[in-house]
């Protein structure tokens, strides 16, 4: 479920991913209210996942939460982008 396209101010090449409490990663980027934000920490608890954002904001994901996020594409050891 990835579409390769430039993302608002996030760099030249990013993939879009479905972000849930099981797929979220540090360095993922989301746009909330038109503001691009980078995830700097992911804290998993029994009630959900807390995302600490670079701007000092926090966002909680629960079992029903689903967002669209942007992620740097995976790069294999030879430096080629995986597709």
């Amino acid at each position: 479920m990835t579409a390769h396209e430039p993302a608002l101010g996030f760099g030249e090449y990013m993939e879009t991913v479905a972000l849930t409490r099981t797929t979220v990663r540090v360095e993922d980027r989301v746009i909330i209210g038109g503001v691009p934000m980078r995830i700097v920490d992911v804290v998993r608890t029994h009630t959900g996942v807390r995302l600490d954002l670079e701007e000092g904001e926090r966002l909680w994901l629960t079992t029903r939460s689903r967002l669209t996020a942007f992620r740097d594409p995976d790069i294999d050891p030879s430096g080629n982008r995986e597709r």
Side-chain angles (χ1 to χ4, degrees):
M1 173 172 193
T2 61
H4 302 285
E5 60 187 46
L8 302 171
F10 291 144
E12 184 177 323
Y13 190 81
M14 302 287 286
E15 345 180 279
T16 56
V17 295
L19 189 78
T20 66
R21 67 186 208 162
T22 57
T23 63
V24 66
R25 296 182 192 171
V26 171
E27 296 296 323
D28 282 347
R29 292 151 176 98
V30 293
I31 298 175
I32 300 173
V35 178
M37 299 184 182
R38 184 174 63 92
I39 299 170
V40 294
D41 194 17
V42 177
V43 180
R44 298 180 192 282
T45 70
H46 66 283
T47 59
V49 175
R50 186 187 78 212
L51 308 180
D52 293 336
L53 304 171
E54 186 173 44
E55 295 74 14
E57 302 288 338
R58 288 190 169 159
L59 177 67
W60 283 88
L61 299 180
T62 63
T63 51
R64 293 184 181 179
S65 301
R66 187 176 184 97
L67 302 171
T68 300
F70 300 93
R71 179 177 291 163
D72 288 321
D74 294 330
I75 298 176
D76 68 19
S78 65
N80 296 319
R81 296 184 194 281
E82 292 181 353
R83 292 197 181 229

